Amino acid sequence: MNYDKIYATRTSRIKASAIRELLKLAANPNLISLGGGLPSPDSFPLNLVTELTEKILTKYGSTALQYDTTEGFMPLRKGLVDYLQNYGIRAGLENIYISSGSQGFLDQIGKLLISPGDYVAVEGPTYLAALQAFNAYEAEYAQIETDDEGLIPESMEEIINNYPIKFIYTVPTFQNPTGKTVGLKRREQIAEIILKYDMLLVEDDPYGALRYKGETLPTIQSMAPDNVVYASTFSKIFAPGLRVGFFVAPEKFARWMVLVKQGVDLNTSTYTQAMAAEYLLGGYIPAQVNKIINIYKPKLVTMLDALAYYFPEGYKWSKPDGGMFLWVEGPKGIDMEEVYKKSIERGVGFVPGKFFFPNPEDGIETMRLNFTNVSEEEIKSAVKILAEVAKEQLEILV
Ligand SMILES: Cc1ncc(COP(=O)(O)O)c(C=O)c1O
């Protein structure tokens, strides 16, 4: 059968994920992969999951195995009302909904808002799988400029003035891929701008809880709750295999989000939502997040030290206060895909940064490094090898 003739036109915009391809390489036991974005399996609370499995079956019985409302498992939604207050999120039960991971949320919002050719404003670089989700709905992109502090509000305003933007998508805290965080003043500016133009902003925040230093910043949602849809997930504070995410939205908007989800999966797994509910209601999150931070923070420090020690002049990198990634920029003229090919030969993987830009000419000289799913020893040897290849590329350049 010739399947090519029956695929929908929108599939021409869906490309294989470079990260998925790289993860395949990570299956090679000799490769040190700084490429994927996986939490450390050492952080997964296996014993607690055994305990909670028992508990949800006793407490909820067959309800945990039944279909449930599309809005989400009620004990979980109720638990999130209090939990989210710690993050300055202004939300009642009518504003909190469950999604199948925050990835499911991104697909839902794309389905609800994007008609073919509609513009979405995104940071350059941005989260690759958000682009993939929106590509399926045939989005166009307007790229907001960024600097060391992430999204530049003035650039966002210029984009709003120059493109017919449907909504803005941003990851303002420990961004994937750069690890950068938008500061308080900029958050206030961003909130002011979206209110001024009556614009919707999607605040994607999977990493906010993984802060290794500094003070928690207020969410943009807390500054403009009627113009922001906030999304987060249990993937980084519990385990991604549960596929439980959640979002906070004005009630009238959320009603539509629920309708578009119905056609996809009816509801997010009741069983794993019950697991997430007991994890939350049992008060396990603070200790578990602490454990995760204690695993990740030394890895980040090791990576930053190794970069400073091994990398040649002309390269710079972000210095994140949290999250799972950092971002290296080489001098103009360096092609990180070349560096990638050579470093793979020497047993080190990463993601060339250009994949994270909607504009394919951008980010040629950049790379994303993940530090959570490798040991400190591996980080040191991987960065040393990367630095050698980076040095060789510099020499070719001169
Ligand atoms: C910025 C961002 N958004 C969303 C997701 C999706 O997370 P999940 O679907 O596991 O909740 C990720 C995962 O890496 C991410 O980095």
Side-chain angles (χ1 to χ4, degrees), residues 37 100-104 106 127 169 171 176 204 206-207 232-236 240 243-245 325:
S100 295
S102 16
Q103 195 61 39
L106 291 172
Y127 173 49
Y169 168 76
V171 186
N176 179 2
D204 187 7
Y207 304 105
S232 191
T233 177
F234 281 85
S235 289
K236 323 291 172 176
R243 310 309 303 131
V244 177
F325 304 100

